[in-house]
Amino acid sequence: MLVAVLALQGDFAEHEAVFKRLDVPTCQLRQKRDLEQHFDALILPGGESTVQGKLLRDLDMFEPLRNRIRDGLPVMATCAGSILLARQLLDDPAVHFGTMGISVRRNAYGRQLSSFHTTGTFAGLKDVPMSFIRAPQIEFCLPGVEVLAEHDGRITAVRQGKQLAMTFHPELSGDTRIAAYFLSEML
Ligand code: GLN
């Protein structure tokens, strides 16, 4: 099994570290020719979605990756990554991959709450550490999207088929359970 981590911008190294702890090999996707190797899953890290979307397009990686996701490649997205997957951005005309039936508002927590740390339940897993950093909010889900976690009445993690998206960063805590869930439930 090989997990590919989009490594254009953001906290891709932290995601690689989580899979290393699980003894799962990873490779970095940095340029178009990195897409030629075989990989079984894709990680879209947190960071800045506008920058990631621009680099994906500038490097000609956007279409091939969107096609792979549409064809059912298992994908796990955190924070900016979930913005890349969303079908609609509220207050923002941009759409990136648009493969997931969610409407997302960027930087939805306002200034004071823009970054915080909490623990919560994710798909029945208890006390999972969750770091929110200038996090988006998932405001609407289309049918077929299953809610896996919420915090203070806000949806924070969703799944649709082989796509898993969350608005927080599980990879910053050293807790490997969400990555393990992704591998066992979606590959
Ligand atoms: N605010 C960022 C964006 O809009 C996401 C932040 C993150 O990934 N931690 O893309």
Side-chain angles (χ1 to χ4, degrees):
M1 187 200 308
L2 184 64
V3 173
V5 181
L6 185 68
L8 301 179
Q9 189 269 342
D11 75 333
F12 52 88
E14 285 78 0
H15 279 281
E16 289 179 291
V18 170
F19 288 101
K20 193 165 190 190
R21 291 187 65 187
L22 291 170
D23 265 335
V24 173
T26 57
C27 64
Q28 295 189 344
L29 304 181
R30 291 181 167 273
Q31 53 191 321
K32 191 175 184 187
R33 68 160 191 264
D34 297 334
L35 303 177
E36 288 163 15
Q37 66 198 306
H38 174 82
F39 51 87
D40 304 288
L42 172 65
I43 307 301
L44 300 176
E48 193 55 45
S49 55
T50 311
V51 176
Q52 294 178 358
K54 180 173 188 322
L55 288 170
L56 280 165
R57 289 172 176 91
D58 289 352
L59 294 164
D60 279 338
M61 297 169 75
F62 182 80
E63 283 224 6
L65 274 179
R66 184 179 59 188
N67 292 340
R68 294 283 308 267
I69 297 169
R70 281 185 180 156
D71 289 347
L73 177 71
V75 50
M76 180 171 93
T78 64
C79 207
S82 62
I83 296 169
L84 294 185
L85 291 181
R87 192 162 166 148
Q88 183 188 32
L89 303 185
L90 301 166
D91 295 338
D92 188 334
V95 178
H96 301 287
F97 294 132
T99 49
M100 211 173 186
I102 52 176
S103 297
V104 169
R105 191 180 303 279
R106 296 178 61 203
N107 304 317
Y109 287 79
R111 263 173 190 230
Q112 301 228 310
L113 264 182
S114 65
S115 298
F116 62 98
H117 183 79
T118 186
T119 56
T121 301
F122 171 98
L125 302 169
K126 298 232 183 322
D127 301 319
V128 178
M130 301 175 174
S131 299
F132 291 80
I133 302 172
R134 296 182 57 235
Q137 185 181 349
I138 299 167
E139 294 206 4
F140 308 104
C141 299
L142 289 179
V145 176
E146 184 188 349
V147 175
L148 299 180
E150 287 179 75
H151 176 260
D152 270 353
R154 302 184 198 225
I155 298 168
T156 57
V158 289
R159 172 183 181 170
Q160 177 187 327
K162 300 272 184 194
Q163 300 178 73
L164 173 62
M166 59 213 96
T167 59
F168 56 90
H169 294 269
E171 71 281 6
L172 298 179
S173 68
D175 188 298
T176 55
R177 285 179 290 165
I178 291 183
Y181 167 93
F182 172 62
L183 296 175
S184 68
E185 298 289 325
M186 300 176 74
L187 264 76

